[in-house]
Amino acid sequence: MRKDITYLADLYITKPQNKKEFIVDGDTRDIITAILNKDKGCEKDTARFAGFLKGNSEEQSCKNVFDFLKKHIKYIEDPTGYQYIKSPARTWADKYADCKGYSIFISSLLKNLDIPFVYRFVSFGAPVVTHVYIVTKTGYVIDVCLPYFNQEKPYKFKEDK
């Protein structure tokens, strides 16, 4: 990955609108729907930037995406009762996200890199989704909440969309 990647991201990732979208006390279905709705058109935010993360293989491109977000976007959990559904532009401007923000950002980059994927919604206990991340159609896991690329925490329930 290029050393001046932060400069390039600042230059080429779209500037956000001055608003944060959120759901107050929404249930799991509301949150999944909001993520999938935010996903529509999100690739425009990173269209001019994504190519800088392209590697020599799909695996390397996915690892570059993981490394970029891991290094530059801090994980911060949403406040109790609020679920922020942020565009990649908003996440880049804020420099923080939770699993929803990471996943939407990754989606945007992968769309621009022509890498097919699904959102994986999982739960670690009861069958109520509590986490989301991206899995490519060839099986690479991009979960920036975990320490390493292509790592997947064992789950009890999953729903791929």
Side-chain angles (χ1 to χ4, degrees), residues 12-126:
Y12 292 118
I13 293 175
T14 303
K15 303 302 178 229
Q17 297 175 357
N18 289 324
K19 64 178 183 172
K20 288 187 184 181
E21 297 178 35
F22 58 91
I23 298 171
V24 180
D25 294 325
D27 67 15
T28 301
R29 288 291 132 207
D30 294 334
I31 295 165
I32 290 172
T33 298
I35 290 168
L36 296 175
N37 285 337
K38 181 58 75 179
D39 177 79
K40 295 174 186 164
C42 71
E43 65 274 13
K44 69 184 179 324
D45 288 1
T46 62
R48 298 182 327 142
F49 172 71
F52 294 107
L53 298 177
K54 186 165 183 61
N56 294 325
S57 66
E58 180 179 314
E59 179 181 20
Q60 187 60 57
S61 294
C62 291
K63 185 169 184 334
N64 289 346
V65 167
F66 175 89
D67 290 344
F68 172 74
L69 289 171
K70 191 76 170 171
K71 181 175 182 180
H72 298 287
I73 305 295
K74 183 178 178 178
Y75 176 82
I76 296 180
E77 199 172 306
D78 288 340
T80 302
Y82 290 85
Q83 293 292 323
Y84 292 114
I85 311 297
K86 300 190 322 181
S87 68
R90 178 82 265 155
T91 296
W92 181 249
D94 293 346
K95 300 294 191 277
Y96 70 86
D98 68 354
C99 63
K100 298 180 305 299
Y102 281 141
S103 295
I104 294 167
F105 205 126
I106 293 164
S107 164
S108 177
L109 292 166
L110 294 184
K111 285 178 182 183
N112 285 302
L113 293 170
D114 295 319
I115 298 174
F117 65 91
V118 295
Y119 281 89
R120 178 158 291 166
F121 297 91
V122 300
S123 68
F124 303 107

